[in-house]
Amino acid sequence: TMSRADVMLLMEDPDLPMVESLYETAIETTRQFGLDMVQLQASTRLVSLRRRMGAHPDGSDELAAVYASFQSGQDEPDLVAAAALLR
């Protein structure tokens, strides 16, 4: 599903700091509720965004920790996308 941040990225000249903040909020919220897959999705998108912005650190360490929590399903599209960013 698309989040508000995802929709904002589709707009012409998106407010990247706002998008970054929305992804950060999504990660915190999903962490609180134990929604690991949604947290992985938001973390993957945040790392991708931060790389686009040239930000350092880009959040790869946090993404790696979420990714490592999955014991199976590494062929799932969201896990494949996360793994590609971590390479």
Side-chain angles (χ1 to χ4, degrees):
T1 61
M2 291 187 74
S3 69
R4 180 176 175 206
D6 297 332
V7 171
M8 287 181 71
L9 282 175
L10 296 174
M11 299 171 76
E12 188 175 324
D13 195 27
D15 181 347
L16 297 181
M18 173 62 78
V19 173
E20 180 180 30
S21 177
L22 289 169
Y23 283 138
E24 290 169 342
T25 299
I27 291 166
E28 286 303 314
T29 302
T30 57
R31 183 179 297 134
Q32 290 173 8
F33 290 100
L35 302 171
D36 296 339
M37 185 58 78
V38 181
Q39 182 182 353
L40 177 87
Q41 293 166 344
S43 295
T44 299
R45 292 171 183 158
L46 180 61
V47 168
S48 186
L49 173 67
R50 285 182 173 163
R51 288 182 182 176
R52 175 179 169 182
M53 296 169 61
H56 297 285
D58 64 9
S60 294
D61 291 344
E62 293 87 357
L63 176 59
V66 176
Y67 179 81
S69 72
F70 289 87
Q71 302 301 313
S72 63
Q74 270 57 34
D75 59 339
E76 291 291 324
D78 292 321
L79 289 165
V80 170
L85 279 178
L86 293 170
R87 285 191 206 117

